C-alpha cells in the first residue's frame, strides 16, 4: 500500500458551525450553504488537474470484462476481471464523498453549473451514485452499506438520480435508469469506467468507499465526517499500487478531520491499516531534491561523457532518484516555480538516461525497466512528461516561419533535443528530421505530416513484404488491424496467414525461423509508426 498525502482545505468559513450545543443535523444543514458548496466546487475544479496528475501519462491495463454484480440486499461485489488491452491514460481519477444524499445532489448540481461554459475537452466527466441507507450515520463517521433497491429511495431523490443517469447515458452512449435491474448494471458500468480511467469524478455518499478497488483512483475529496475504521476504509480507496507515477493516495478534506485521522492511524496502524503512513512534509522532499540536483550537476555536467560502468550505474541511480522526487514534488503547490533544473537541461539529462537505457537493455528484455539486480530505470516517470507529435509539429511550424533568416538553427536544435528526450519518439527521429528537411513553405504542417507518414508507412511495409515474400493483401489487412486495435497479434493463426509456403529445410531457415524473422520486422515497423498521428495518445 502507498502512503497518504492529506490536505485540509478550509476554503470558506460560510456555514461552518463550531458551537458544540448545535445538533449534528443542524450542523449538516448549515454546511449545505450554497456559498460554501460553490467555493468548494470552485476549488476542486481549479485544483483537479494538479491533484489527479492530469499532466502525467502512463500505460494502463484496460479491464474489458467484469462479471455480473452479485445482487444482494447488503453488498455488491465484482469478480476478477479479464484484462486484454492497454491504453495510455492521462492522470488519475477521483471520488467526492458527501455526508448525505441531499449533499450529493447539491454538489452534482454545482459541478454541472460551474462547468456549463467550459469546452468539452476541459469539462470533467462527473458521475453520481447513491441509494438508500436505512441506518445512515454519516454524522458519526460510520460507513453503512446502502441498499441496492432504488424503490427504497424517496421520490425526489430517485428522480434526481434518474436525471443524473440520463446525463451519464448521454456521455457514454448507455441506457441505464433507476429500475432495479438497470440500476445494478449502472453500478457495474460505473465501477468499470472508474477502473478504466474513463470517468474523472464520481460523487457518492457511501458507495465505493468500502471494498471497491480501482488502481487508477488516486484522490478522495471529502466533505463528510469520518472516523476510525470508516476513515481508514475510505482513505484506502486511493492508495492501491499502480505504477511508479502513482506514489501516494491523495486526500483533500473540506472538514477538519486531523484529530480523527490521527486517532484512526494510531488505533489501526499496526493491524487493519497494514502500516499506513502519511507522506512527509514538502520541505523534506525539496531538501533532498536540492541535494540530489547539486550532486547531479557537480558529478555529471552536461557535455561530458559518462565513462565506465560504475559511473553509468551511479548516474542511472541518481537521476532515477531525482525523477521520483520530481514526481512527488509536482503535486505540491509550493513547488511551482521552484524547479532547479531548467526544462532544456532536463531534456538533455533525460536523453542521456534514455541512451543508457537503450545500451543496457541490448542484452536483456527490451520491455523491462529492471535490466538486472542493480540497474533499474524509471522509464514510466520519463514517459509521464512525454513529448507528443502535436508539440513537435508546433516546433516545425515555428521552424518553417523562421527558416531562412538565420534564426532557425536554435529551433532545429530544440526539435532534435525534444525528440531525443522522448522514449516513444526517439526511434522515429530519422522520420521527423526527414520531414523537417522536406516540408514545403505553403501547405498546413499537420496536413503535410499526415501525408508524409502515410507515404513512409506504405513504403516501408512494402519493403518488408518484398523482402519476406509476404502475401500483400493479407499483410496490409493484418497491419491495419494492429493499428486499429493498438496491438500487434503475434500469436495465433493471424500471423501465419500472411506467410508464404515455406519448407522446413531451406538454406535461410525453416518455417519457425521465417515466422520469427517476420514477427521481429513487423514489431519494429509497428512500434516505429505507432503514435505518429497528430493528437494521438502516445
Amino acid at each position: 500500500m502507498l502512503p497518504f498525502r492529506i490536505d485540509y482545505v478550509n476554503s470558506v468559513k460560510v456555514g461552518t458551525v463550531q458551537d458544540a450545543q448545535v445538533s449534528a443535523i443542524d450542523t449538516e444543514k448549515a454546511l449545505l450553504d450554497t456559498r460554501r458548496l460553490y467555493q468548494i466546487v470552485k476549488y476542486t475544479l481549479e485544483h483537479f488537474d494538479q491533484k489527479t496528475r492530469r499532466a502525467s501519462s502512463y500505460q494502463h491495463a484496460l479491464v474489458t470484462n467484469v462479471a455480473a454484480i452479485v445482487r444482494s440486499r447488503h453488498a455488491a461485489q465484482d469478480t476478477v476481471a479479464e484484462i486484454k488491452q492497454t491504453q495510455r491514460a492521462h492522470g488519475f481519477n477521483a471520488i467526492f464523498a458527501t455526508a448525505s444524499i441531499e449533499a450529493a445532489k447539491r454538489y452534482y448540481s454545482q459541478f454541472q453549473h460551474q462547468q456549463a461554459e467550459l469546452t468539452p475537452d476541459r469539462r470533467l466527466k462527473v458521475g453520481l451514485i447513491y441509494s438508500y441507507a436505512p441506518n445512515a450515520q454519516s454524522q458519526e463517521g460510520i460507513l453503512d452499506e446502502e441498499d441496492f433497491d432504488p424503490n427504497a429511495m424517496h421520490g425526489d431523490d430517485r428522480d434526481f438520480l434518474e436525471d443524473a443517469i440520463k446525463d451519464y447515458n448521454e456521455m457514454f452512449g448507455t441506457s441505464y435508469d433507476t429500475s432495479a435491474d438497470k440500476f445494478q448494471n449502472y453500478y457495474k458500468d460505473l465501477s468499470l469506467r472508474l477502473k478504466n480511467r474513463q470517468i474523472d469524478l464520481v460523487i457518492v455518499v457511501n458507495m465505493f468507499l468500502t471494498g471497491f478497488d480501482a488502481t487508477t483512483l488516486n484522490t478522495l475529496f471529502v466533505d463528510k465526517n469520518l472516523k476510525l475504521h470508516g476513515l481508514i476504509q475510505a482513505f484506502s480507496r486511493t492508495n492501491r499500487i499502480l505504477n511508479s507515477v502513482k506514489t501516494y493516495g491523495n486526500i483533500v478534506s473540506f472538514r477538519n478531520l486531523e484529530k480523527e485521522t490521527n486517532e484512526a492511524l494510531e488505533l489501526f496502524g499496526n493491524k487493519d491499516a497494514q502500516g499506513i503512513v502519511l507522506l512527509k512534509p514538502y520541505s523534506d522532499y525539496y531538501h533532498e531534491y536540492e541535494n540530489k540536483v547539486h550532486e547531479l550537476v557537480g558529478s555529471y555536467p552536461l557535455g561530458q561523457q559518462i565513462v565506465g560502468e560504475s559511473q553509468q550505474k551511479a548516474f542511472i541511480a541518481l537521476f532515477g532518484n531525482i525523477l521520483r522526487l520530481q514526481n512527488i514534488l509536482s503535486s505540491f503547490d509550493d513547488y511551482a516555480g521552484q524547479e532547479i533544473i531548467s526544462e532544456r537541461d532536463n531534456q538533455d539529462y533525460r536523453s542521456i538516461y534514455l541512451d543508457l537505457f537503450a545500451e543496457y537493455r541490448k542484452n536483456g528484455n527490451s520491455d523491462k525497466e529492471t535490466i538486472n539486480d542493480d540497474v533499474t530505470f524509471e522509464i514510466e516517470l520519463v514517459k509521464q512528461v512525454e513529448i507528443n507529435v502535436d508539440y513537435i509539429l508546433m516546433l516545425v511550424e515555428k521552424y518553417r516561419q523562421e527558416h531562412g533568416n538565420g534564426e532557425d538553427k536554435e529551433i532545429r536544435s530544440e526539435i532534435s533535443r525534444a525528440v531525443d528526450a522522448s522514449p516513444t519518439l526517439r526511434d522515429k527521429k530519422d522520420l521527423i528530421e526527414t520531414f523537417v528537411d522536406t516540408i514545403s513553405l505553403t501547405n498546413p504542417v499537420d496536413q503535410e505530416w499526415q501525408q508524409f507518414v502515410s507515404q513512409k508507412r506504405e513504403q516501408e511495409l512494402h519493403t518488408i513484404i518484398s523482402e519476406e515474400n509476404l502475401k500483400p493483401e493479407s499483410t496490409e489487412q493484418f497491419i491495419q488491424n494492429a493499428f486499429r486495435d493498438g496491438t500487434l497479434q503475434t500469436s495465433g493463426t493471424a500471423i501465419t496467414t500472411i506467410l508464404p509456403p515455406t519448407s522446413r529445410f531451406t538454406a535461410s531457415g525453416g518455417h519457425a525461423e521465417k515466422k520469427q524473422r517476420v514477427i521481429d520486422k513487423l514489431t519494429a515497423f509497428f512500434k516505429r509508426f505507432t503514435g505518429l498521428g497528430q493528437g494521438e495518445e502516445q
Side-chain angles (χ1 to χ4, degrees), residues 178-432:
T178 59
S179 61
D181 289 344
K182 288 192 174 183
F183 183 72
Q184 294 278 347
N185 290 331
Y186 171 61
Y187 176 96
K188 173 185 172 182
D189 193 74
L190 182 59
S191 68
L192 182 63
R193 294 190 190 279
L194 264 173
K195 293 178 179 181
N196 282 342
R197 182 55 193 90
Q198 294 169 335
I199 191 166
D200 298 307
L201 179 72
V202 177
I203 300 171
V204 305
V205 180
N206 288 338
M207 284 185 176
F208 294 125
L209 295 184
T210 60
F212 173 77
D213 285 336
T215 55
T216 62
L217 188 73
N218 88 319
T219 300
L220 174 69
F221 294 96
V222 183
D223 186 23
K224 68 184 299 171
N225 294 329
L226 292 168
K227 68 177 184 178
L228 302 180
H229 193 263
L231 182 145
I232 293 295
Q233 283 187 304
F235 283 17
S236 295
R237 298 315 100 211
T238 68
N239 72 336
R240 279 9 189 195
I241 294 172
L242 175 62
N243 55 28
S244 56
V245 178
K246 184 181 178 183
T247 51
Y248 54 86
N250 206 21
I251 311 299
V252 181
S253 179
F254 299 107
R255 302 192 182 193
N256 186 2
L257 300 178
E258 187 168 8
K259 177 174 176 289
E260 289 78 4
T261 299
N262 292 336
E263 288 176 351
L265 292 176
E266 182 179 349
L267 185 61
F268 295 108
N270 296 324
K271 185 181 177 183
D272 296 21
Q274 297 180 343
I276 285 174
V277 295
L278 301 183
L279 212 61
K280 293 184 293 187
Y282 165 79
S283 58
D284 290 9
Y285 294 105
Y286 192 79
H287 180 65
E288 185 179 358
Y289 165 69
E290 277 185 311
N291 291 337
K292 297 296 182 185
V293 169
H294 291 149
E295 182 182 349
L296 176 73
V297 174
S299 302
Y300 307 100
L302 291 170
Q304 289 188 16
Q305 188 175 359
I306 303 174
V307 180
E309 183 176 318
S310 62
Q311 282 295 301
Q312 290 174 350
K313 288 183 176 180
F315 169 81
I316 292 165
L318 177 60
F319 192 67
N321 203 328
I322 291 172
L323 288 171
R324 290 191 293 272
L325 287 167
Q326 288 175 326
N327 184 50
I328 293 176
L329 287 168
S330 62
S331 64
F332 285 89
D333 294 342
D334 295 342
Y335 184 61
Q338 299 301 312
E339 304 87 345
I340 300 173
I341 310 177
S342 69
E343 180 53 34
R344 177 171 177 164
D345 288 350
N346 240 329
Q347 287 183 352
D348 287 340
Y349 277 118
R350 286 201 298 269
S351 180
I352 295 169
Y353 193 69
L354 291 173
D355 285 340
L356 290 173
F357 177 63
E359 182 178 332
Y360 273 76
R361 73 176 181 175
K362 286 178 184 176
N363 300 322
N365 188 326
S366 61
D367 294 326
K368 293 288 184 69
E369 294 186 12
T370 300
I371 304 300
N372 55 44
D373 290 340
D374 60 344
V375 180
T376 300
F377 288 86
E378 300 288 356
I379 298 303
E380 197 62 57
L381 293 182
V382 178
K383 284 183 178 180
Q384 68 159 322
V385 290
E386 183 66 282
I387 294 159
N388 59 22
V389 169
D390 295 326
Y391 177 75
I392 297 297
L393 294 185
M394 181 272 291
L395 291 178
V396 172
E397 174 63 35
K398 187 177 178 182
Y399 172 80
R400 185 170 69 173
Q401 292 173 0
E402 300 289 342
H403 192 70
N405 64 2
E407 298 177 5
D408 60 323
K409 290 183 180 180
E410 179 59 31
I411 302 174
R412 178 60 187 269
S413 175
E414 188 176 350
I415 294 171
S416 296
R417 182 182 295 109
V419 171
D420 284 338
S422 165
T424 58
L425 292 184
R426 66 189 345 245
D427 63 346
K428 318 172 200 302
K429 186 175 181 179
D430 64 309
L431 285 172
I432 294 170

Side-chain angles (χ1 to χ4, degrees), residues 101-102 105 130 153-163:
I101 289 177
E102 182 60 31
K105 289 158 54 179
Y130 54 73
M153 281 190 284
H154 294 300
D156 290 344
D157 295 340
R158 184 170 180 176
D159 290 345
F160 191 98
L161 184 58
E162 187 82 36
D163 289 339

Side-chain angles (χ1 to χ4, degrees), residues 391-513:
Y391 177 75
I392 297 297
L393 294 185
M394 181 272 291
L395 291 178
V396 172
E397 174 63 35
K398 187 177 178 182
Y399 172 80
R400 185 170 69 173
Q401 292 173 0
E402 300 289 342
H403 192 70
N405 64 2
E407 298 177 5
D408 60 323
K409 290 183 180 180
E410 179 59 31
I411 302 174
R412 178 60 187 269
S413 175
E414 188 176 350
I415 294 171
S416 296
R417 182 182 295 109
V419 171
D420 284 338
S422 165
T424 58
L425 292 184
R426 66 189 345 245
D427 63 346
K428 318 172 200 302
K429 186 175 181 179
D430 64 309
L431 285 172
I432 294 170
E433 291 190 338
T434 300
F435 172 69
V436 175
D437 290 337
T438 58
I439 190 171
S440 75
L441 298 175
T442 54
N443 296 327
V445 169
D446 58 342
Q447 179 182 320
E448 288 208 23
W449 172 251
Q450 295 299 336
Q451 293 173 351
F452 174 82
V453 169
S454 179
Q455 290 171 1
K456 282 291 184 181
R457 191 165 80 174
E458 185 176 350
Q459 289 171 6
E460 294 188 18
L461 181 59
H462 284 174
T463 297
I464 296 173
I465 291 172
S466 176
E467 289 175 348
E468 298 297 335
N469 193 28
L470 304 179
K471 299 174 184 178
E473 291 185 4
S474 298
T475 304
E476 288 172 4
Q477 185 62 51
F478 177 77
I479 288 297
Q480 184 177 333
N481 292 343
F483 283 111
R484 179 198 65 200
D485 300 336
T487 184
L488 192 77
Q489 295 292 340
T490 57
S491 59
T493 59
I495 187 70
T496 61
T497 62
I498 72 175
L499 298 173
T502 307
S503 170
R504 292 187 178 276
F505 307 102
T506 63
S508 60
H511 177 78
E513 291 83 354

Side-chain angles (χ1 to χ4, degrees), residues 49-50 52-58 88-92 245-246 327 330 380-381 383-386:
D49 286 6
Q50 180 194 21
T52 59
R53 311 298 299 278
R54 293 288 281 279
S56 301
S57 69
Y58 57 91
R88 193 133 199 103
H90 286 271
F92 304 101
V245 178
K246 184 181 178 183
N327 184 50
S330 62
E380 197 62 57
L381 293 182
K383 284 183 178 180
Q384 68 159 322
V385 290
E386 183 66 282

Side-chain angles (χ1 to χ4, degrees), residues 508-523:
S508 60
H511 177 78
E513 291 83 354
K514 174 76 170 181
K515 179 180 176 181
Q516 188 57 53
R517 188 168 66 249
V518 170
I519 287 175
D520 290 343
K521 286 188 176 183
L522 291 181
T523 298

